[in-house]
Amino acid sequence: FSAPKDGATVSSPVKIEFGIEGAEVKPAGEEVANSGHHHLIINGTGIEQGVVVPKDEKHIHYGKGQTSAEVELSPGEYTLTMQFANFVHLSYGEQGASSIKITVTE
């Protein structure tokens, strides 16, 4: 996470900026070694290595290779986890995950 920082108090929509070191961000479907794309997990933990990241309201895919997003969240406390995965959404596991806690205000 580049933004927001862990422990931040923010308003909705939450502006999120993310990246990765040691790998290249590429769109889903492009098989390129040491690359992949991000997934935002809302109030969940990282996905075990080699497991497909689900796609639902709590697992948001950024399969176009995005490195920023705006997410509508109701007021409250959240744990946000970014999970990096390969071209077919197979998780890179713990080494490709990062979590922060934020508070969303009205």
Side-chain angles (χ1 to χ4, degrees):
F1 284 94
S2 300
K5 297 295 183 193
D6 189 34
T9 298
V10 297
S11 59
S12 192
V14 179
K15 294 177 178 96
I16 302 172
E17 296 179 18
F18 40 94
I20 191 158
E21 294 178 5
E24 190 175 359
V25 176
K26 291 281 190 186
E30 284 187 39
E31 185 175 7
V32 177
N34 200 33
S35 73
H37 61 280
H38 292 91
H39 302 80
L40 176 64
I41 303 169
I42 301 170
N43 287 335
T45 58
I47 306 296
E48 185 178 333
Q49 184 172 357
V51 174
V52 173
V53 178
K55 186 173 185 179
D56 56 33
E57 65 279 349
K58 293 189 177 194
H59 297 84
I60 303 170
H61 289 230
Y62 295 104
K64 294 180 182 176
Q66 301 98 309
T67 57
S68 65
E70 287 191 4
V71 179
E72 292 283 344
L73 295 172
S74 301
E77 295 182 356
Y78 293 88
T79 298
L80 302 179
T81 301
M82 293 304 301
Q83 179 67 64
F84 203 63
N86 74 4
F87 71 106
V88 290
H89 311 284
L90 293 176
S91 172
Y92 282 116
E94 187 177 319
Q95 70 270 15
S98 179
S99 296
I100 61 170
K101 291 182 183 275
I102 63 168
T103 301
V104 177
T105 60
E106 289 189 32

